[in-house]
């Protein structure tokens, strides 16, 4: 297991890009709770950073993502079918990592 080093600015920049993906858009349309933000962080780390969320160290990094998630737009530029694809990806990764 290797620890990945990111800065809060890198996390925020990558989050903005991820929010436009199918799974990222799905995440943005969910309830804005801390619990949902933490689940979104798990999926974000896998898809955008290509690393296990447990390997992203530093509370500032997680906080940078959660703040970006909580303040992200709920406007969707993808089709309903793409949103369904994103929801499947999202749920599969949450289940794989968290068993939910």
């Amino acid at each position: 297991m290797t620890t990945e080093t990111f800065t809060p600015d890198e996390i925020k920049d990558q989050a903005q890009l991820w929010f436009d993906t199918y799974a990222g858009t799905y995440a943005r349309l969910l309830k804005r709770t801390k619990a949902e933000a933490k689940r979104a962080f798990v999926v974000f780390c896998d898809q955008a950073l290509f690393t296990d969320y447990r390997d992203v160290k530093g509370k500032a990094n997680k906080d940078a993502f959660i703040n970006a998630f909580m303040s992200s737009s709920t406007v969707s530029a993808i089709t309903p079918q793409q949103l369904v694809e994103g929801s499947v990806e999202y749920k599969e990764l949450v289940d794989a990592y968290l068993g939910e």
Side-chain angles (χ1 to χ4, degrees):
M1 185 181 294
T2 59
T3 300
E4 298 295 333
T5 304
F6 299 98
T7 66
D9 285 339
E10 288 173 321
I11 296 289
K12 183 180 172 187
D13 291 345
Q14 289 300 313
Q16 295 305 322
L17 296 172
W18 180 73
F19 290 147
D20 289 333
T21 67
Y22 297 172
T25 298
Y26 174 76
R28 288 187 297 112
L29 298 177
L30 297 172
K31 290 182 181 177
R32 301 299 171 99
T33 64
K34 290 281 187 181
E36 203 56 64
K38 290 176 183 178
R39 284 189 281 276
F41 182 71
V42 169
V43 178
F44 161 75
C45 288
D46 185 88
Q47 291 187 328
L49 304 180
F50 307 105
T51 192
D52 187 302
Y53 75 100
R54 293 167 287 215
D55 293 337
V56 178
K57 300 301 178 192
K59 183 177 180 337
N61 286 331
K62 191 171 186 178
D63 288 346
F65 176 82
I66 290 173
N67 290 336
F69 174 79
M70 294 297 211
S71 64
S72 64
S73 170
T74 57
V75 174
S76 173
I78 64 175
T79 67
Q81 179 58 37
Q82 292 167 328
L83 188 60
V84 168
E85 291 176 31
S87 72
V88 170
E89 291 174 7
Y90 185 91
K91 290 173 184 174
E92 285 176 351
L93 286 169
V94 168
D95 187 52
Y97 280 106
L98 304 176
E100 293 182 12

